[in-house]
Amino acid sequence: MKAQNHRIRVGIIGYGNLGRGVEMAISQNQDMELVGIFTRRDPSTLASQAAAYNLQEVESFQDKIDVMVLCGGSAKDLPEQVPYIAKYFHTVDSFDTHAKIPEYLEVVDQAASASGKVSVISTGWDPGLFSLLRLLGQSVLPEGGDTHTFWGKGLSQGHSDALRRLEGVKGAVQYTIPKEEVLQEVRSGKPVTLSAADKHERVCYVVADEGVDLEDLQHRIKTMPHYFADYKTTVHFISEEELRKEHSNMPHGGTVIHTGESKVGDKQRVEFTLALDSNPAFTASVLVAYARAAFRLAQQGQSGAKTVFDIPFGLLSARPIDELIKELL
Amino acid sequence: MKAQNHRIRVGIIGYGNLGRGVEMAISQNQDMELVGIFTRRDPSTLASQAAAYNLQEVESFQDKIDVMVLCGGSAKDLPEQVPYIAKYFHTVDSFDTHAKIPEYLEVVDQAASASGKVSVISTGWDPGLFSLLRLLGQSVLPEGGDTHTFWGKGLSQGHSDALRRLEGVKGAVQYTIPKEEVLQEVRSGKPVTLSAADKHERVCYVVADEGVDLEDLQHRIKTMPHYFADYKTTVHFISEEELRKEHSNMPHGGTVIHTGESKVGDKQRVEFTLALDSNPAFTASVLVAYARAAFRLAQQGQSGAKTVFDIPFGLLSARPIDELIKELL
């Protein structure tokens, strides 16, 4: 591997939970430095010690930043920003609209190939690490089994928002929890066809407005189409104080289970689990490791859009490959 | 990725449990064909439907085989065979003497670089998939935690052999089992320093010769230095029939747990588990996936010795990358 002459210079675009996580993760990696945070807001309002700039200034940092970590949303921010930013910088993002990844990949690849930059798209934990484990399982054990992904126990932002939109709800969080008995069934390697509703239950903690008919509210939650109607759903009514004290973190995680048979009857199981106190902080940590990989791929002369499937794990670590081989292989 | 003009033509060297597993695994991968098995024994004695040849004939297969999967032992076979075979073929092996991997890598790299071949060394599940997960955990979460590897529940060949060498023992197997309470402690992210003996217990199933003093035999087992003296060891005396019926499979597996903190107090855990009915069959399945990767790396113009750290997961699958992205990312 080519020696690095300087620390990898990183920029962050977007400063929500994910952007703050990336800032923290960079501070844990001594081979990197955070050059600046770029925002569409007034930069002076950012609650960060790092230098903050208006996103409009970003082009002037062409010679000062190697890799830009994009922390915006998948719906609007990333499809708009990444093809533009890839003209000037290597990029990493967590674009997570699974169905739209192929077209997104193509657009980003055109931009990054044209500029000679490397763009790592759709990394994080799902898509990202979970995708890698699904692929690993299916590559090693192609027959006699199946791959299942369970999400949780974890706080679901979308479902929490859905609760909050209901009349009579003052505050709420929703946890998605894999059903233990279904996990066990999948582990056994028995062939099963499972919907998301078969695999998960939903537990809601709700602060109701004063005077609201709780039985009616519970009924409205449990019958909400798409969100709760198909699921085993439990509703707990709690106080505002309890919501703040017990439910303000963003834990998440999940499990990928792949089973197969090396020969008929030989059950083999590969299982990968994440248990995360902070979902955005972990996603950020993954983005930063792949920012290093993007930089190194570029040093090797590569360009264009890459996914986690294209990137060897040896490029993720700050440590020299001979040390990794000696200590971890 | 370059289109393949033919199926990947694979050879097997060595036909023990692992070699038989590789034969089986190749039959599960339609993009590969088994051209022949090479042995130092009389080829006509091999219990296989595949073509069998004497190892001395191997050089004449230069134009008929792409990748050779070496299934011999790490102590003598692989250090002798791989540098020689790498002159003529891409190779894959499961060299697993952890401490000697760096020097082995160097020797194989010289041979493979000189011939322009690709040699994937030290793959399987440990070293191999477990190494990958240790590296992934440490790359993504470099601070505030630790990495622990547990082996089992599984049959340990070395410890079973040690039992069988004792006077008064007719037959025996030994299972290595991770201690559940230590697994839980490690999962909590509490910093702990653990020896192998702290993490595992050993359970022995022994068929004693007739008339042997069982109490004395049990004492000799439990006090055997290196093998059992440091461990919590349980001995069960069973009949020959029970040994044959209940303990003739080779199950194994284990767990890699990496914990870290994205910021102080945010515990994040990455956990990878294998639960295998057949240890050699699974190792064989991994070798075959990496045989495909070796072939593809060579198609990309690469040569020399490679480890799992150098190889992106996208090269392990028989399926086209755009399908993988669409369905698994």
Side-chain angles (χ1 to χ4, degrees), chain A residues 135-136 138-142, chain B residues 1 4 8-10 25-26 28-33 66-69 90-92 118 120 285-300 311-320 324:
Chain A
L135 174 55
L136 180 65
Q138 294 196 7
S139 301
V140 169
L141 298 169
Chain B
M1 200 163 295
Q4 288 166 216
I8 303 173
R9 301 166 304 174
V10 184
I26 291 169
Q28 294 189 332
N29 287 278
Q30 271 69 60
D31 63 332
M32 298 187 166
E33 60 176 312
D66 300 304
V67 190
M68 207 58 100
V69 184
H90 309 304
T91 71
V92 181
V118 171
V120 178
S285 295
V286 177
L287 287 174
V288 166
Y290 278 96
R292 177 180 295 118
F295 181 73
R296 290 179 173 176
L297 286 172
Q299 284 189 312
Q300 294 175 2
I311 299 174
F313 284 14
L315 297 182
L316 301 177
S317 172
R319 301 171 65 197
L324 300 177

Side-chain angles (χ1 to χ4, degrees), chain A residues 31-304:
Chain A
D31 63 331
M32 297 187 168
E33 60 177 313
L34 175 59
V35 175
I37 299 166
F38 297 83
T39 175
R40 285 169 298 197
R41 291 182 268 167
D42 176 355
S44 69
T45 64
L46 247 54
S48 167
Q49 301 299 314
Y53 305 96
N54 193 292
L55 184 53
Q56 294 178 334
E57 298 178 65
V58 76
E59 292 181 29
S60 69
F61 283 81
Q62 275 183 72
D63 300 323
K64 304 189 189 86
I65 287 176
D66 300 305
V67 190
M68 209 58 98
V69 184
L70 287 99
C71 300
S74 297
K76 297 202 170 161
D77 300 332
L78 298 174
E80 184 189 302
Q81 291 173 347
V82 174
Y84 162 64
I85 298 297
K87 291 189 203 171
Y88 308 104
F89 308 94
H90 309 306
T91 70
V92 181
D93 70 60
S94 60
F95 183 84
D96 65 358
T97 311
H98 288 262
K100 294 193 172 168
I101 288 175
E103 63 179 284
Y104 179 69
L105 174 68
E106 207 180 310
V107 172
V108 175
D109 188 52
Q110 278 172 12
S113 296
S115 63
K117 301 293 178 185
V118 171
S119 287
V120 178
I121 69 154
S122 298
T123 187
W125 61 271
D126 196 355
L129 307 194
F130 273 18
S131 323
L132 282 165
L133 270 288
R134 286 186 286 259
L135 174 55
L136 180 65
Q138 294 196 7
S139 301
V140 169
L141 298 169
E143 286 193 9
D146 210 345
T147 314
H148 292 277
T149 303
F150 293 83
W151 294 275
K153 180 187 173 177
L155 190 144
S156 164
Q157 208 55 66
H159 285 74
S160 299
D161 288 344
L163 291 173
R164 290 183 203 117
R165 283 194 297 267
L166 286 175
E167 206 182 304
V169 170
K170 201 171 199 168
V173 293
Q174 193 264 191
Y175 297 100
T176 305
I177 303 176
K179 291 180 182 168
E180 189 54 39
E181 68 275 18
V182 182
L183 275 169
Q184 291 305 344
E185 201 180 358
V186 164
R187 282 188 183 114
S188 77
K190 210 190 305 170
V192 277
T193 305
L194 297 168
S195 69
D198 294 329
K199 293 196 282 190
H200 303 94
E201 57 186 294
R202 302 195 174 278
V203 178
C204 311
Y205 292 87
V206 177
V207 182
D209 285 328
E210 231 169 292
V212 165
D213 179 341
L214 297 184
E215 208 163 319
D216 171 67
L217 177 51
Q218 173 162 285
H219 178 77
R220 282 186 286 136
I221 292 171
K222 291 191 172 186
T223 55
M224 202 190 296
H226 308 305
Y227 286 93
F228 298 103
D230 300 335
Y231 289 81
K232 181 186 167 193
T233 300
T234 314
V235 179
H236 301 284
F237 290 106
I238 60 172
S239 70
E240 234 176 323
E241 197 195 339
E242 191 181 337
L243 182 72
R244 200 186 55 245
K245 273 171 93 170
E246 306 293 333
H247 303 284
S248 58
N249 293 328
M250 298 177 75
H252 221 307
T255 299
V256 175
I257 299 174
H258 178 79
T259 55
E261 292 186 341
S262 296
K263 65 172 195 282
V264 176
D266 266 351
K267 298 274 181 201
Q268 316 275 34
R269 173 164 56 88
V270 177
E271 182 165 336
F272 180 68
T273 293
L274 293 173
L276 311 172
D277 273 1
S278 169
N279 177 0
F282 186 77
T283 302
S285 296
V286 177
L287 286 175
V288 166
Y290 279 95
R292 177 181 292 118
F295 181 74
R296 291 179 171 174
L297 286 172
Q299 284 190 312
Q300 295 175 0
Q302 299 204 38
S303 64

